[in-house]
Amino acid sequence: MTNGDDEVPTGADGATTRSGEKGGSAKKAKKSAKKKNKIPNDVYEAELFRLQTELVKLQTWVRTDGARIVVIFEGRDAAGKGGTIKRLTEYLSPRTARIAALPTPTEREKSEWYYQRFVAHLPAAGEIVVFDRSWYNRAGVERVMGYCTPKQYSEFMRQTPIFEQMLVEDGIQLRKYWFSVSDSEQLRRFRSRLSDPLRQWKLSTTDLDSIARWEDYSRAKDEMLVHTDIPASPWYIVESDIKKHARLNMISHFLSSIPYTDVPQPKIELPDRPAPSSGYVRPPRELSTYVPDHVAQLMGDKERHL
């Protein structure tokens, strides 16, 4: 299994470079090559539409068959997990496809069996649950940042394959994706968030600390794969230096891994609108409170220049 996100980037001349170092010509060449190899927008949009159409078919099959699916998203900070989850669930019903993005555990939850709060979010029949981060927090950020004890960590590594084997044997279809991003691309994305008021909230102290702890996270990921990449629930690595490629590759693989079928649906026809009733009178507008017309203010006075 490749560990592309842990490789040290090299310049065009083969010299090793690190994020932040000057490498003008190498960086330009790399940027140019990346742009050249990037999927055209029209091809991307067409394929994304096709895949999302298949996801709707999958959703119908899940409801009909009573299937239970769990999809785990893990990976580096700023690796593109959130954007992929958004495209994966964009046209699915929230009653069928739920996103579980659990916050920091409370003091009570810290005293529970570690997997307990995650078990509460597992799917019932006819449901898909997407874990935006999961029980693998213990193998990553908790391990690196010292939020768990060595004993808790070793127990996690020993128990997780058993826990997942139980889920699979009970009929849950479990898919685990690790989003791999290079250190230079991660740093570029962090920098872009600094000046973006819509995405600044994505930068936490833990995210920023991950820059200095790159190799620590690499070792933690490698050890996690050794213990938890098992036949019953293998890990799938998604290379995500190009976000659009990562989205298409992940969704395509996910669909190919589920044995769903096209469920015939009854043809839907809109009924004719009934004739107006002679007994209904709409109440005066003054009796209701309407939202102010903010758009009118933006458009200004249309008769001003007449």
Side-chain angles (χ1 to χ4, degrees), residues 51 54-56 58-59 61-62 68-73 84 88-89 92 97 127-130 173-177 236 238 246-260:
L51 292 174
E54 289 299 315
L55 286 169
V56 172
L58 169 67
Q59 171 181 254
W61 173 81
V62 167
R68 293 177 292 161
I69 299 177
V70 170
V71 190
I72 288 177
F73 281 77
T84 305
L88 179 72
T89 60
L92 303 183
E127 292 182 346
I128 302 170
V129 175
V130 177
Q173 300 192 54
L174 177 61
R175 300 295 181 269
K176 303 187 302 190
Y177 292 96
Y236 298 103
V238 182
R247 294 165 189 166
L248 297 183
N249 291 339
M250 181 272 153
I251 297 174
S252 175
H253 177 272
F254 171 63
L255 287 167
S256 70
S257 73
I258 304 294
Y260 72 99

Side-chain angles (χ1 to χ4, degrees), residues 7 29 48 58 77 131 133 137 159 192 220 223 241 275 283 295 300:
E7 294 176 1
L48 181 61
L58 169 67
D77 295 316
F131 279 96
R133 301 288 194 181
N137 276 345
Q159 293 176 354
S192 71
E223 190 170 352
D241 268 16
V295 174

Side-chain angles (χ1 to χ4, degrees), residues 44 80-88 202 243 247 251:
Y44 166 76
K81 299 182 294 297
T84 305
I85 292 173
K86 179 179 178 180
R87 273 70 180 186
L88 179 72
K202 291 187 173 184
K243 289 183 178 181
R247 294 165 189 166
I251 297 174

Side-chain angles (χ1 to χ4, degrees), residues 267-273:
K267 185 178 180 180
I268 299 176
E269 295 183 359
L270 292 178
D272 295 332
R273 186 182 294 276

Side-chain angles (χ1 to χ4, degrees), residues 41-42 50 58 86 115-116 126 141 155 159 180 231 233:
N41 284 337
D42 57 342
R50 186 189 73 81
L58 169 67
K86 179 179 178 180
Y115 304 93
Q116 187 167 332
V141 64
E155 286 179 348
Q159 293 176 354
S180 168
S233 56

